[in-house]
Amino acid sequence: AILNNHAGVDFFKHRGFRNVRVIENCFPDVRFPRERPAGGIVRVVTVARFVRQKDYPVAIEAFMLALRKVPCLHYRIIGHGEEEAAIRKYVECKGVADRVEIMVNPPDVGRLVDECDIYLSTSRWEGTSNSIMEAMDASLPVVATDAGDNKRLVENDKNGFIRAVGDVGGIAACLVELARSPELRNEMGICGNQILRERYGKAAFAAKYFALLGCD
């Protein structure tokens, strides 16, 4: 069996499966890295379904803590799902509706992500996150929870930060550190773009299948 994430391999091996291999998702046509200018609003973005798995209350709480120290922060949430009304109510109750933009299935997600500065993922569990890969393609630094294969995509202190699931304070501190330093954001974002190109591009994907098949 071939799976696209290591978390899945661990799951099945604990249930008796032995002949399981990982070949991660291929991300073709990785864009050239880009730097973002300093100054003005610093935008945090999450692209994910509106479901409990993504733990939006943790994301919003962390954003609120960071906002106290970096008043120029703005949070853009892009997605859809059954928890939409609950997320909107949570934002309203916390009094940050003027700083949190909730967008449901917009047609131009790529452009909206490109406008942002930091990617945030607070999932409780994951496989290989396509949305984190898309953030790396956009040269965004990533703050993510230690869920699924996130720590294989995000190398702590290199292209972003990994914090424990539910660690509101730790996640907020990472957002503050990135928000205060455009140089760090650009450095980590470019590093993430390079990791995506080298490990998840077409050449790497093909090499893994050739190795599986015993081809030179």
Side-chain angles (χ1 to χ4, degrees), residues 39 46 107 117-118 121 140 148 150 154 162-163 175 200:
T46 298
D117 303 284
I118 303 166
S121 173
L140 288 178
N150 284 357
V154 183
I162 293 289
R163 292 295 179 265
L175 294 177
Y200 300 92

Side-chain angles (χ1 to χ4, degrees), residues 4 24-28 47-48 54 113 119 121 126-138 149-150 153 196 200:
N4 72 348
E24 295 94 342
N25 294 345
C26 176
F27 201 103
V47 182
K54 306 303 181 180
V113 170
Y119 190 83
S121 173
E126 276 292 351
T128 296
S129 172
N130 287 326
S131 61
I132 289 180
M133 295 174 82
E134 288 162 358
M136 294 165 68
D137 182 53
D149 282 18
N150 284 357
L153 289 167
L196 185 68
Y200 300 92

Side-chain angles (χ1 to χ4, degrees), residues 43-64:
R43 291 184 171 87
V44 180
V45 63
T46 298
V47 182
R49 290 172 296 126
F50 297 157
V51 293
R52 292 185 179 180
Q53 172 194 353
K54 306 303 181 180
D55 215 349
Y56 278 104
V58 164
I60 294 163
E61 291 284 350
F63 169 77
M64 289 169 56

